[in-house]
Amino acid sequence: MLLNLSNFLTTAFTKSSGVLLSAPEESAVILNFLREQGFLKLADNYLRCSYAADRYFQFALVEDIIRSNSLFGDRNWIEVNFKTKPTIDQQQQLINLLPLLDESNYLIISCDKLDKKDQSSTWFKKWNENADSLLLSASDGELRQWTLSLLDVTQLKLESAALDLLLEMNQSNPAQLHQEVIRLGWLFPKNTTISYAELKALLLDNSQFTIFALSNNYLRGDISAAKKIYAQAVQATEDAILLIWQLGEDLRKLIRIKSALRSNPDFRAAVADLRIWGDSIAPFNQAQQRLSYQLLLTYLDELARIDGMVKGIIVGDPLIKLEQLIINICRGV
């Protein structure tokens, strides 16, 4: 059954044995939230198995888990997270797997945004006949609903005007919204209703020293401001993880801008579909003029190495390397 976010939050994980989550890249944090909340609802006696799937992934792995664990009465929570979308062969494998899903075997699929052609395909229709799907579009309405769900989890409430301010100050950025709501959970006691005045004072006091404020400064090439904000905002591995995500987003947007400008020199047209608004427009323009296409690819490679350091795969200090990468982006070297 095809669901929207509102009825998904109330009915998913209860009326079927599978769910397909689809969203654009910027909404990945929402998918993570939905997966975790779903597992919490069904966590009792479930064995959790997670796969990062590429185009070579075989659903035979999932079938083996279901068949072998079922012999011992185990209950399976299985996550398959695609980097892009299932291939034609994987789509068929997925449909063939549907008869094995029941209350003891729950399958949750995550993938990139499915377009209209995908939604009209046979495999997608067959999936919805037997399971649930949620197609996120990163709309303002979805972000508002998701923020309310986050607040419920942290056991906080916002006045209506305060909620509007939170969404406005964070430019409808899902990752930034998530960070702010988690921070509110640290700063306010549970069951607090936060007023507009309280939230405004908090956001304005901290807005100059956040990872997302850092973004505009390294895009502008302002080394002094970027280093100052970096020292304040990036002090632990958790901060590094968020900055790596933000840097990756910005670099990929710049690459897409560069590609678009090759065929149309109108910068506004190039950023129209990239969710770049307000005060961020000018910094992105400055960055695309300062940084070459090859440099952007080099920065992405370095960012991947730093991510390996955070995960312990590569030896090195990710905080030092991140700061040097920020400086290089500012200088354009």
Side-chain angles (χ1 to χ4, degrees):
M1 179 179 179
L2 186 59
L3 305 172
N4 58 37
L5 184 57
S6 179
N7 54 35
F8 175 86
L9 290 167
T10 57
T11 65
F13 312 113
T14 59
K15 294 188 176 181
S16 72
S17 298
V19 63
L20 171 67
L21 303 175
S22 165
E25 186 176 1
E26 62 267 25
S27 293
V29 66
I30 301 181
L31 297 191
N32 292 337
F33 170 81
L34 295 176
R35 282 197 300 267
E36 292 304 317
Q37 290 306 302
F39 182 66
L40 289 175
K41 288 182 179 180
L42 299 176
D44 291 344
N45 301 318
Y46 272 79
L47 300 177
R48 188 174 190 176
C49 301
S50 298
Y51 296 96
D54 56 18
R55 61 193 182 95
Y56 300 107
F57 178 79
Q58 296 293 314
F59 276 97
L61 294 170
V62 176
E63 183 175 351
D64 288 343
I65 288 176
I66 293 175
R67 293 189 183 281
S68 60
N69 286 357
S70 295
L71 294 175
F72 303 97
D74 292 329
R75 308 174 79 187
N76 304 298
W77 170 274
I78 306 170
E79 301 169 350
V80 181
N81 307 318
F82 281 92
K83 295 179 181 178
T84 53
K85 303 176 186 178
T87 63
I88 294 176
D89 184 47
Q90 289 166 337
Q91 293 166 11
Q92 186 57 53
Q93 293 177 38
L94 183 56
I95 296 305
N96 293 340
L97 197 64
L98 281 172
L100 298 179
L101 302 182
D102 54 31
E103 63 180 9
S104 296
N105 296 292
Y106 199 96
L107 178 63
I108 181 167
I109 306 291
S110 302
C111 69
D112 200 1
K113 183 178 179 180
L114 299 178
D115 56 29
K116 291 183 178 179
K117 181 179 178 180
D118 296 318
Q119 295 174 41
S120 62
S121 63
T122 301
W123 80 270
F124 184 72
K125 292 178 180 178
K126 286 184 177 179
W127 171 269
N128 281 303
E129 290 174 1
N130 298 274
D132 292 330
S133 60
L134 172 65
L135 310 182
L136 295 176
S137 61
S139 67
D140 291 341
E142 285 178 352
L143 291 172
R144 178 177 291 268
Q145 180 65 51
W146 176 62
T147 304
L148 289 171
S149 299
L150 279 173
L151 290 166
D152 284 341
V153 170
T154 55
Q155 298 181 44
L156 293 174
K157 293 183 179 180
L158 292 180
E159 291 181 351
S160 179
L163 177 60
D164 291 340
L165 177 65
L166 180 65
L167 294 168
E168 179 184 352
M169 290 289 287
N170 290 284
Q171 297 186 9
S172 296
N173 184 310
Q176 186 171 345
L177 278 169
H178 185 256
Q179 182 191 39
E180 289 292 356
V181 173
I182 296 302
R183 188 159 62 95
L184 291 177
W186 295 337
L187 297 174
F188 291 90
K190 291 181 179 179
N191 301 315
T192 298
T193 298
I194 303 170
S195 69
Y196 175 85
E198 288 174 318
L199 185 66
K200 182 178 181 181
L202 179 66
L203 292 178
L204 292 179
D205 284 345
N206 291 278
S207 63
Q208 299 304 313
F209 295 99
T210 69
I211 285 171
F212 297 96
L214 178 59
S215 174
N216 280 352
N217 284 282
Y218 61 64
L219 289 171
R220 282 195 297 263
D222 189 335
I223 295 178
S224 177
K227 290 177 68 175
K228 182 179 179 181
I229 296 173
Y230 184 91
Q232 294 288 329
V234 186
Q235 300 182 0
T237 301
E238 292 78 8
D239 303 320
I241 292 171
L242 184 59
L243 178 55
I244 287 171
W245 179 89
Q246 182 64 43
L247 266 169
E249 287 288 293
D250 289 342
L251 292 174
R252 283 186 282 271
K253 285 179 181 178
L254 286 169
I255 288 172
R256 292 175 64 182
I257 290 170
K258 286 281 191 183
S259 298
L261 289 175
R262 290 176 178 174
S263 57
N264 183 355
D266 185 347
F267 178 78
R268 291 277 178 171
V271 302
D273 297 327
L274 296 180
R275 301 182 68 82
I276 297 174
W277 304 291
D279 294 339
S280 295
I281 294 176
F284 268 98
N285 195 14
Q286 290 174 287
Q288 68 86 15
Q289 294 180 47
R290 184 177 74 255
L291 306 173
S292 69
Y293 191 89
Q294 188 58 48
L295 265 179
L296 294 173
L297 295 178
T298 301
Y299 294 154
L300 273 180
D301 287 341
E302 177 62 15
L303 195 62
R305 284 192 287 271
I306 295 171
D307 184 54
M309 294 176 193
V310 170
K311 295 174 180 175
I313 301 172
I314 299 174
V315 177
D317 188 327
L319 299 185
I320 293 176
K321 292 294 185 180
L322 264 177
E323 183 175 16
Q324 186 58 56
L325 178 57
I326 294 294
I327 293 172
N328 290 344
I329 292 173
C330 289
R331 291 175 175 167
V333 296

